[in-house]
Amino acid sequence: MSSGTQGVMFLLAIMVSWAIDIFAHNSEVHVKLENRLKSKVYLSPKITQFPGSVSNKTYYDIKFPKGHIAVKSFNAEVVDEAGDPVSLQETYVHHWFAVRYYQNKVSKDIIIAGNSGLICNLYNVTVDKDGRPLRPNYVGGLYCCYDGTQCKVKNGVRNVSRNVYLKYTVKWVDWSDSIVPVKVFIFDVTDTWQHTGIHKCLFEYDVKKSTTGVATNNYTSSRRSSVSFPTAGDVVYGFAQQYIGGTGASLYGEDGRVICSSKPIYGKGNDVGDEAGYIVGMSTCYPKPGSVKIAKGETVTLESNYSSKKMHTGVLGLFYLLVAESS
Ligand SMILES: *[C@@H]1O[C@H](CO)[C@@H](O)[C@H](O)[C@H]1NC(C)=O
Ligand SMILES: *[C@@H]1O[C@H](CO)[C@@H](O)[C@H](O)[C@H]1NC(C)=O
Ligand SMILES: *[C@@H]1O[C@H](CO)[C@@H](O)[C@H](O)[C@H]1NC(C)=O
Ligand SMILES: *[C@@H]1O[C@H](CO)[C@@H](O)[C@H](O)[C@H]1NC(C)=O
Ligand SMILES: *[C@@H]1O[C@H](CO)[C@@H](O)[C@H](O)[C@H]1NC(C)=O
């Protein structure tokens, strides 16, 4: 897999619900140095959007620090032409991720991992991007909102274009022998492994509206899946990913101990980063080094809770865990 070209790519799905004025000129790219920590800000290519339009972009070989480095952090946000962050109420960023990829020299195949989707109200979308019909009553999820599709907009909204960029900040240090590398594990609550012995991640699932919630005053829909952890290690960092309606997720060890719990943070206002009704962050775990261990072959269970007060289609229950392998 290591032969061929290597690079980093972005997969980005965003959607704009209404446009505002367009400002001129781009923000600058700058490098900062704090001790050995280097930091650089980059901009993606320009993405032009209209009210209700959906963008699902993939950019290969994006700008990224070169050399043998240890990435300390990677953050991204959508900005406008003036470089100011854009509210989720205006441009809803469903997800973004950057992955390393390899290109096979002979076949030109791109080898990567991962795929995800977008939820919106369908607007005359009856087939997926490959032309396969969507199942009846499919409200939204992985298959509907491909690049160039259109969500319904309110009557009277002016069709004005707006240019946005994904601005991402990478912090890194140059490699040295004192750096302990981590392995990234992604758990998916839809993984079928415990039933089939094969890892098959369906990513999205649906949460039905509870019919018994009123009587029991319990609107928790809980889903679980277990896997066998492949290596022994120390947990360095962890967090879950859920969509709107999510109420928290936990990873449990075989003995029932909590390895990491992560809850969505819902916005309360109108400010950028605090958009009411949206998930604006997830709480994280950053345990004292060496204090949370997982054994090789240990059964680890992921639990993902959603509110079943309303139906939620195409939700996610993912958990990201950074583990330093112990010898
Ligand atoms: C949506 O589909 C309906 C039925 O095919 C059609 O009448 C209508 O014009 C379409 N609307 C748009 C905006 O394409
Ligand atoms: C969005 O783009 C990614 C990467 O090209 C692709 O794998 C995915 O299927 C696309 N999603 C939709 C809904 O088209
Ligand atoms: C807005 O204008 C663009 C470009 O002309 C067009 O592609 C898009 O369909 C329009 N959107 C609506 C909702 O009419
Ligand atoms: C609430 O209901 C869910 C789903 O029926 C169930 O798994 C959970 O144990 C219930 N919680 C409480 C606190 O009763
Ligand atoms: C999920 O819901 C179950 C049942 O109500 C509860 O026991 C558990 O603590 C919840 N877990 C998280 C991570 O919120």
Side-chain angles (χ1 to χ4, degrees):
M1 213 160 92
S2 57
S3 76
T5 333
Q6 207 196 113
V8 179
M9 70 196 270
F10 252 130
L11 294 103
L12 173 70
I14 61 179
M15 180 186 121
V16 64
S17 47
W18 50 282
I20 58 160
D21 301 274
I22 299 157
F23 302 92
H25 78 82
N26 292 352
S27 70
E28 300 261 293
V29 166
H30 45 93
V31 186
K32 269 208 315 237
L33 266 164
E34 307 160 17
N35 295 330
R36 289 167 51 234
L37 190 64
K38 296 178 187 168
S39 160
K40 197 161 177 174
V41 181
Y42 301 91
L43 285 181
S44 75
K46 178 167 78 185
I47 301 160
T48 302
Q49 295 225 298
F50 295 92
S53 67
V54 174
S55 301
N56 182 30
K57 305 288 185 198
T58 304
Y59 299 114
Y60 293 99
D61 200 16
I62 58 164
K63 288 168 273 180
F64 203 80
K66 302 252 184 278
H68 195 188
I69 59 166
V71 174
K72 300 282 282 184
S73 78
F74 192 126
N75 287 306
E77 61 180 344
V78 169
V79 298
D80 61 18
E81 297 259 7
D84 293 325
V86 175
S87 159
L88 286 173
Q89 282 139 358
E90 292 166 21
T91 297
Y92 178 65
V93 184
H94 187 261
H95 64 259
W96 59 266
F97 51 96
V99 289
R100 249 151 65 103
Y101 69 94
Y102 301 94
Q103 186 167 32
N104 188 295
K105 270 185 189 150
V106 182
S107 67
K108 300 281 175 222
D109 283 348
I110 301 278
I111 303 149
I112 51 152
N115 182 18
S116 201
L118 183 74
I119 300 152
C120 72
N121 289 316
L122 290 179
Y123 189 48
N124 275 5
V125 181
T126 54
V127 293
D128 71 11
K129 69 175 197 318
D130 301 321
R132 285 182 299 247
L134 296 172
R135 65 180 148 81
N137 306 321
Y138 189 84
V139 180
L142 280 179
Y143 304 106
C144 80
C145 304
Y146 38 95
D147 195 41
T149 47
Q150 177 71 39
C151 293
K152 210 165 181 164
V153 288
K154 285 190 192 130
N155 281 336
V157 173
R158 270 181 60 219
N159 191 11
V160 198
S161 72
R162 181 190 208 182
N163 294 328
V164 295
Y165 304 81
L166 193 74
K167 176 175 147 187
Y168 56 103
T169 306
V170 187
K171 290 187 178 170
W172 76 96
V173 292
D174 288 324
W175 190 261
S176 80
D177 290 341
S178 62
I179 293 167
V180 181
V182 291
K183 285 202 158 169
V184 183
F185 294 92
I186 305 175
F187 300 80
D188 182 340
V189 82
T190 67
D191 190 349
T192 58
W193 182 85
Q194 74 192 97
H195 305 293
T196 60
I198 298 163
H199 288 287
K200 184 162 187 253
C201 297
L202 309 170
F203 295 106
E204 66 174 9
Y205 65 101
D206 294 340
V207 173
K208 290 197 179 68
K209 186 179 153 108
S210 170
T211 48
T212 56
V214 186
T216 57
N217 194 28
N218 169 11
Y219 289 101
T220 300
S221 157
S222 202
R223 188 167 172 146
R224 286 173 158 242
S225 73
S226 296
V227 294
S228 170
F229 203 68
T231 180
D234 290 306
V235 174
V236 173
Y237 190 67
F239 62 95
Q241 187 187 359
Q242 294 188 309
Y243 287 158
I244 291 172
T247 57
S250 285
L251 270 187
Y252 300 101
E254 201 165 315
D255 57 359
R257 75 186 185 288
V258 176
I259 294 169
C260 174
S261 241
S262 172
K263 273 195 184 328
I265 301 159
Y266 284 90
K268 295 191 181 69
N270 287 314
D271 294 342
V272 173
D274 186 34
E275 297 90 344
Y278 290 91
I279 293 179
V280 296
M282 296 291 302
S283 68
T284 61
C285 299
Y286 206 170
K288 201 169 141 262
S291 66
V292 179
K293 293 183 182 299
I294 304 180
K296 186 178 164 110
E298 182 172 351
T299 300
V300 174
T301 299
L302 168 59
E303 175 181 62
S304 167
N305 287 357
Y306 273 82
S307 163
S308 56
K309 250 187 185 151
K310 280 198 240 168
M311 174 185 79
H312 297 282
T313 58
V315 300
L316 272 190
L318 297 182
F319 215 103
Y320 296 74
L321 204 65
L322 273 57
V323 173
E325 275 184 290
S326 49
S327 41

